[in-house]
Amino acid sequence: MVAWNEYREMARERGALALELFVVESTPQKEPDALKQVLPDHLAYQAQMEADGYLVLAGPLSDPSGNEMQGTGLIIYRAENLKTAKKIAEADPMHATGTRSFTIRKWLVNEGSLNISVGLSTKTVRLS
């Protein structure tokens, strides 16, 4: 195995982006009715984290077949370090109330592409 910081530097040396983000997998711990009660506070928190520049992407995951929602969610944060990202995740009302539990890991983004189309007159955004 290679130490995280060493691997990040190796990626940068070869020209990769080496953008460090934090991936949270959020798993339900209570019944759907409890989730629904906390959902408005969770969504408000997510909106605030987005406005504050911490939230990169968030949303639900399907089951492995891709046909049903299993209740698990994925949240990607940008933060100074893992400790800060963990505090952000812990403060999410879903996690703070025990309605969901979470795991968090560092993610080093090296490759890929992202396309964004913004229609100014139509006020539309397309991400692909």
Side-chain angles (χ1 to χ4, degrees):
M1 282 204 203
V2 178
W4 181 262
N5 290 338
E6 183 180 345
Y7 184 82
R8 185 180 60 220
E9 288 310 310
M10 289 172 19
R12 287 181 178 152
E13 287 172 7
R14 71 173 193 272
L17 178 62
L19 173 64
E20 187 174 84
L21 298 174
F22 302 90
V23 177
V24 173
E25 187 173 353
S26 180
T27 307
Q29 297 300 306
K30 295 184 179 177
E31 296 300 316
D33 286 342
L35 291 164
K36 288 177 186 175
Q37 289 179 6
V38 181
L39 186 60
D41 291 338
H42 164 72
L43 295 175
Y45 182 77
Q46 294 288 68
Q48 186 61 56
M49 293 302 95
E50 181 179 344
D52 291 347
Y54 292 112
L55 182 63
V56 177
L57 298 167
L61 295 170
S62 73
D63 70 345
S65 75
N67 294 321
E68 295 183 27
M69 298 308 295
Q70 64 182 18
T72 302
L74 189 70
I75 306 166
I76 301 175
Y77 292 123
R78 74 176 60 80
E80 299 79 35
N81 53 50
L82 182 60
K83 183 179 179 181
T84 301
K86 186 176 179 186
K87 285 182 181 182
I88 294 166
E90 289 171 340
D92 183 320
M94 285 288 185
H95 303 140
T97 61
T99 306
R100 288 177 167 270
S101 64
F102 71 92
T103 59
I104 187 168
R105 292 186 284 174
K106 291 181 181 181
W107 180 30
L108 196 63
V109 179
N110 289 331
E111 298 90 16
S113 66
L114 183 64
N115 298 302
I116 300 173
S117 174
V118 178
L120 300 177
S121 64
T122 59
K123 297 180 184 175
T124 59
V125 176
R126 188 178 77 226
L127 180 66
S128 60

